[in-house]
Amino acid sequence: MSIPFWCVFISALLIYVAKAPLAKAMKEEGGGYDNNNPRAQQARLSGFGARALAAHQNSIEAFPLFAAGVLMAHVTQSSGWLVDWLAVAFVVARVLYLLCYWADMHWQRSVVWMVGLVCSLLLMLTPAI
């Protein structure tokens, strides 16, 4: 499997990695994890729990654009160091994004979010390069 495909796999796993702190915050919210109404419980979260929810949701939102970029590069046979580098940079940016979100580092989070977005968009443009 190619490096970009491994990065898609890792990015998919990051969605669930981002869920772990959210689940912990929900459990600690009072009354334990509400599996009957988890979205209502999530809406009540504040502080770290609210940030964990937002980080998890953003991980879901960022994944399709990245996966589309990798697939566009793959089907057009755009491979090589640039595609590999962009895919790895996206994964690194997403890990840093989660860490920044959880730590309430707002401007740093925005910077690494932008890096990830640019990587996804550049992957889409690799067939034109």
Side-chain angles (χ1 to χ4, degrees):
M1 194 155 68
S2 68
I3 289 172
F5 279 3
W6 275 112
C7 289
V8 169
F9 176 73
I10 293 166
S11 295
L13 291 179
L14 284 175
I15 293 169
Y16 300 97
V17 167
K19 175 68 175 178
L22 172 58
K24 184 176 186 289
M26 290 171 68
K27 182 180 176 197
E28 294 172 354
E29 188 252 345
Y33 187 99
D34 184 358
N35 203 37
N36 291 323
N37 296 299
R39 293 182 194 261
Q41 184 182 26
Q42 290 169 356
R44 292 189 304 268
L45 293 172
S46 61
F48 177 80
R51 290 193 311 275
L53 172 61
H56 173 63
Q57 290 172 332
N58 189 268
S59 296
I60 295 167
E61 294 163 1
F63 179 77
L65 190 64
F66 172 64
V70 168
L71 291 174
M72 287 175 70
H74 176 74
V75 300
T76 59
Q77 298 177 353
S78 301
S79 61
W81 69 268
L82 179 60
V83 173
D84 291 350
W85 186 88
L86 289 169
V88 170
F90 175 85
V91 170
V92 170
R94 293 306 303 176
V95 169
L96 291 173
Y97 178 85
L98 291 174
L99 295 173
C100 288
Y101 222 138
W102 296 332
D104 200 17
M105 300 168 68
H106 57 93
W107 72 264
Q108 297 92 334
R109 180 188 81 225
S110 295
V111 170
V112 293
W113 178 87
M114 184 60 73
V115 169
L117 174 64
V118 168
C119 288
S120 293
L121 295 175
L122 288 176
L123 280 165
M124 292 179 166
L125 292 175
T126 56
I129 299 174

